[in-house]
Amino acid sequence: MRDGVKLFTSIYVPKDNSEKHPILLTRTPYSCAPYGKEKYKAYWDSYLKEYMRQGYIMVTQDVRGRWMSEGEFVDVRPFNPNKKTNKDIDEASDTYDAIDWMVKNIAGNNSNVGVFGISYPGFYSTMAALSNHPALKIVSPQAPVTDWFIGDDFHHNGAFMLMDAFAFYSSFGRPRPQPTTIGPEAFDYSTKDNYSFYLQNGALSNYTKRYMGDTMKFWQDLMNHPTYDAWWKARNVRNFTTNVKPVTMIVGGLFDAEDCFGAWRTYEAIEKKSPASNNKIVMGPWYHGGWVRSTGAYLGNVQFGSKTSEYYQQNIEIPYFNYYLKGKGPQPNLAEATIFFTGENKWHQLPQWPPAEMHHKELYLNKQSKLSFSKATNTEKATSDSYSEYISDPAKPVPYTEDVHFKRTREYMTDDQRFASRRPDVLTFTTDALTEDLTLAGPIVADLMVSMTGTDADFVVKVIDVFPDKFQYSDTDKYLMDGYQMLVRGEVMRGKFRNSYEKPEPFVPNKITEVKYTLPDVAHTFLKGHKLMVQIQSSWFPLVDRNPQKFMDIYHAKDEDFQKATIRIYHNQAADSKIILPVLTQ
């Protein structure tokens, strides 16, 4: 690199010298193992073997400070737009220097480079797009880490995603003082029941004291930056997606538990800040990386009718890379947005996202647990039927899934929600059976009118597709799909951030207050005969850490700070809670 640091890089070069070959690069903090000249990465065990067949130079690089690379590792290292000396480095400059070295030193390359990667490597792919090296022709950030406070991995709308953050940093976060081929030790859990483990360990301050200490640097950063301050904003790559020159293809999963937000919002940021760029988005019915790690025919109990991953690989990614890196084949007719709509289980090629035909339609919460497109007609005076209430008890938080698990599941994103419907601390509102198909295409907005006996609370809104009675995919269904409550989209909002992520505000006890926030985009058709359900709750454990339900720095809360609270959700003319749907006109 320009500052003298060396990055360890594995390079697989075709033996065929009859033509020059493009370079396909992935930069990763997760190792380019196996190390050693006689050991080979198992490209043939995945769809990547097609790139090998077509003569790509396949390159993987350990990013600065990880595994066998020199230098200091910095999590989501901020982009530096004002580099003045060779000591001013970031991941974009490291990518630029790596590409520059490769095109000058790898024999037989055709001076065309592509970069792609999933998740954290997706973040490094976005940074590659900001390098603007002239040899870099195409970049594909896939499920890219984008904003770790607002919507990806470790925070959603300011709420701390406890299980993912602790499971990740209790091993990944261990210091690596010298280059090594040996990975960090996994954390030794006391039980395989994750709900029990996290509940027994209590407040976040206990995790810091018992397990993380002073050595897990980024954990300490997480604990010591409780608001969306300048430190977090510097790590929001959306702020820097200007003047993007390479072709970009953003890829993500509709049911990505880690970085669904990142795919939608990275595409959106490039569209806004680099309007002249050739920027596309592809979203399928996948979990995190499911487009390369599964057939994409189903997720959990929900089926999608075809092998969507194979369709993506064969008809979208490989032809697209071949055109821009090998100059082979006709220019792919890739739409601006190639989106798979679940429910109807069809791919849509759209000229923009959200579609121009999308319009917002308000779905109101009504008394007797009903949802209606008509506003409530009851009087403005608060009566027993003008609100619904529940007691949120941090000692008995609502689980995020029905079963007992050790690791966080990926299938929870489409899980049956009947278990939650039966809890007294979950409110459930349902439409009548739909008389025609209802297609949603875009972000959903939850607009709740609430009150509470405490000074803070979380709000989890879930949008659910209720399958008809006697529904089944086939006689071989392994799970009862009769009346299945499929989670289409769920999202949490930490109430104190309702007006500002920078300056949180307490609630006034028992005062009706608006909590309005945006859920990640959906692409789903509720078929005729199905019902649309909305669930509202104030815990989602241990997916999300528990809110003490008092206004405070939750990262340093003590066990004794947690208290019960009575939560009310209002649905009358004066305080009309609603869900704003992105309805696609057919």
Side-chain angles (χ1 to χ4, degrees), residues 200-229:
Q200 289 175 6
N201 274 288
L204 286 177
S205 59
N206 297 332
Y207 296 86
T208 303
K209 180 178 179 180
R210 294 170 185 170
Y211 307 120
M212 309 304 261
D214 297 326
T215 60
M216 307 292 195
K217 184 179 183 301
F218 199 75
W219 179 270
Q220 295 294 334
D221 291 332
L222 290 170
M223 297 300 104
N224 293 319
H225 292 277
T227 63
Y228 199 48
D229 56 14

Side-chain angles (χ1 to χ4, degrees), residues 114-283:
V115 176
F116 68 167
I118 298 170
S119 192
Y120 219 149
F123 163 79
Y124 294 110
S125 299
T126 306
M127 285 294 173
L130 305 186
S131 74
N132 284 330
H133 192 286
L136 182 60
K137 301 301 191 291
I138 182 171
V139 178
S140 183
Q142 303 185 357
V145 167
T146 301
D147 190 330
W148 270 352
F149 193 85
I150 304 299
D152 286 317
D153 288 299
F154 305 134
H155 291 90
H156 286 202
N157 297 310
F160 188 58
M161 306 303 283
L162 170 62
M163 186 162 41
D164 278 9
F166 182 79
F168 188 71
Y169 277 104
S170 58
S171 57
F172 182 89
R174 296 179 185 273
R176 186 231 65 167
Q178 299 293 332
T180 181
T181 61
I182 301 173
E185 294 182 4
F187 180 80
D188 184 13
Y189 291 83
S190 58
T191 174
K192 298 295 184 181
D193 180 347
N194 58 34
Y195 186 97
S196 176
F197 172 81
Y198 289 103
L199 190 60
Q200 289 175 6
N201 274 288
L204 286 177
S205 59
N206 297 332
Y207 296 86
T208 303
K209 180 178 179 180
R210 294 170 185 170
Y211 307 120
M212 309 304 261
D214 297 326
T215 60
M216 307 292 195
K217 184 179 183 301
F218 199 75
W219 179 270
Q220 295 294 334
D221 291 332
L222 290 170
M223 297 300 104
N224 293 319
H225 292 277
T227 63
Y228 199 48
D229 56 14
W231 188 88
W232 278 116
K233 292 175 183 177
R235 286 157 178 78
N236 174 10
V237 70
R238 291 178 294 166
N239 291 329
F240 306 105
T241 55
T242 55
N243 193 33
V244 172
K245 294 179 180 178
V247 172
T248 50
M249 181 176 70
I250 314 300
V251 181
L254 295 168
F255 305 111
D256 184 341
E258 288 93 332
D259 298 301
C260 179
F261 172 96
W264 291 118
R265 303 287 79 85
T266 297
Y267 166 77
E268 179 184 66
I270 294 174
E271 286 293 292
K272 289 182 177 179
K273 293 182 179 294
S274 295
S277 68
N278 183 351
N279 179 42
K280 313 289 188 186
I281 187 168
V282 180
M283 296 291 288

Side-chain angles (χ1 to χ4, degrees), residues 27 74 88 99 108 114 148 164 175 225 277 305 393 397 399 406 502 516:
R27 304 186 68 245
V74 174
D88 296 327
I99 291 173
W148 270 352
D164 278 9
H225 292 277
S277 68
D393 184 357
F406 172 44
E502 295 89 348
K516 186 175 183 179

Side-chain angles (χ1 to χ4, degrees), residues 190-447:
S190 58
T191 174
K192 298 295 184 181
D193 180 347
N194 58 34
Y195 186 97
S196 176
F197 172 81
Y198 289 103
L199 190 60
Q200 289 175 6
N201 274 288
L204 286 177
S205 59
N206 297 332
Y207 296 86
T208 303
K209 180 178 179 180
R210 294 170 185 170
Y211 307 120
M212 309 304 261
D214 297 326
T215 60
M216 307 292 195
K217 184 179 183 301
F218 199 75
W219 179 270
Q220 295 294 334
D221 291 332
L222 290 170
M223 297 300 104
N224 293 319
H225 292 277
T227 63
Y228 199 48
D229 56 14
W231 188 88
W232 278 116
K233 292 175 183 177
R235 286 157 178 78
N236 174 10
V237 70
R238 291 178 294 166
N239 291 329
F240 306 105
T241 55
T242 55
N243 193 33
V244 172
K245 294 179 180 178
V247 172
T248 50
M249 181 176 70
I250 314 300
V251 181
L254 295 168
F255 305 111
D256 184 341
E258 288 93 332
D259 298 301
C260 179
F261 172 96
W264 291 118
R265 303 287 79 85
T266 297
Y267 166 77
E268 179 184 66
I270 294 174
E271 286 293 292
K272 289 182 177 179
K273 293 182 179 294
S274 295
S277 68
N278 183 351
N279 179 42
K280 313 289 188 186
I281 187 168
V282 180
M283 296 291 288
W286 304 307
Y287 61 82
H288 193 59
W291 49 99
V292 301
R293 298 167 182 158
S294 74
T295 65
Y298 63 92
L299 178 58
N301 302 303
V302 178
Q303 299 182 22
F304 304 126
S306 63
K307 295 180 179 180
T308 61
S309 299
E310 292 183 9
Y311 175 87
Y312 162 75
Q313 295 161 14
Q314 296 169 7
N315 296 283
I316 299 175
E317 183 183 292
I318 293 173
Y320 211 55
F321 276 61
N322 277 346
Y323 178 79
Y324 286 103
L325 296 177
K326 293 173 68 72
K328 290 191 173 181
Q331 184 171 5
N333 186 26
L334 185 62
E336 177 71 15
T338 303
I339 314 293
F340 188 89
F341 280 69
T342 52
E344 66 171 333
N345 291 342
K346 293 181 181 178
W347 286 101
H348 287 228
Q349 285 74 38
L350 302 167
Q352 69 180 69
W353 185 267
E357 298 82 4
M358 185 272 283
H359 66 280
H360 295 105
K361 193 169 185 178
E362 296 175 336
L363 184 64
Y364 294 93
L365 280 57
N366 288 337
K367 61 184 180 179
Q368 298 177 335
S369 300
K370 289 290 187 179
L371 288 172
S372 172
F373 289 107
S374 299
K375 193 172 181 177
T377 58
N378 48 310
T379 63
E380 294 187 6
K381 182 179 179 180
T383 61
S384 60
D385 64 356
S386 69
Y387 61 81
S388 302
E389 72 176 18
Y390 55 92
I391 296 175
S392 176
D393 184 357
K396 297 180 180 179
V398 181
Y400 79 103
T401 188
E402 181 174 19
D403 299 326
V404 176
H405 295 110
F406 172 44
K407 296 183 178 180
R408 195 263 298 133
T409 73
R410 59 197 183 200
E411 291 80 10
Y412 90 86
M413 296 288 287
T414 62
D415 264 356
D416 190 352
Q417 299 300 304
R418 279 179 280 201
F419 78 96
S421 298
R422 296 161 183 160
R423 285 186 60 114
D425 49 359
V426 177
L427 299 180
T428 300
F429 300 86
T430 313
T431 66
D432 294 331
L434 298 173
T435 57
E436 57 185 17
D437 292 353
L438 174 66
T439 298
L440 306 185
I444 294 171
V445 176
D447 188 0

Side-chain angles (χ1 to χ4, degrees), residues 12-124:
Y12 292 75
V13 182
K15 292 182 178 180
D16 178 12
N17 295 319
S18 63
E19 63 177 4
K20 293 186 180 298
H21 307 286
I23 297 170
L24 195 51
L25 168 64
T26 296
R27 304 186 68 245
T28 180
Y30 300 134
S31 174
C32 58
Y35 298 94
K37 293 183 179 180
E38 302 306 318
K39 297 179 181 179
Y40 300 93
K41 189 186 295 288
Y43 284 111
W44 53 85
D45 284 344
S46 74
Y47 85 108
L48 295 176
K49 62 181 177 288
E50 186 60 30
Y51 289 111
M52 305 291 277
R53 287 194 182 108
Q54 299 201 30
Y56 280 75
I57 298 169
M58 304 296 287
V59 182
T60 310
Q61 184 174 79
D62 290 340
V63 297
R64 180 182 292 253
R66 293 294 295 178
W67 295 86
M68 283 296 288
S69 283
E70 298 176 352
E72 177 188 4
F73 176 71
V74 174
D75 271 291
V76 286
R77 188 190 303 271
F79 177 71
N80 180 0
N82 298 307
K83 305 176 189 71
K84 297 178 180 179
T85 73
N86 285 345
K87 293 182 179 180
D88 296 327
I89 59 90
D90 57 17
E91 302 303 339
S93 71
D94 277 359
T95 309
Y96 187 102
D97 294 348
I99 291 173
D100 208 54
W101 186 94
M102 289 178 211
V103 296
K104 293 174 181 176
N105 290 277
I106 299 177
N109 81 83
N110 69 359
S111 297
N112 290 335
V113 179
V115 176
F116 68 167
I118 298 170
S119 192
Y120 219 149
F123 163 79
Y124 294 110

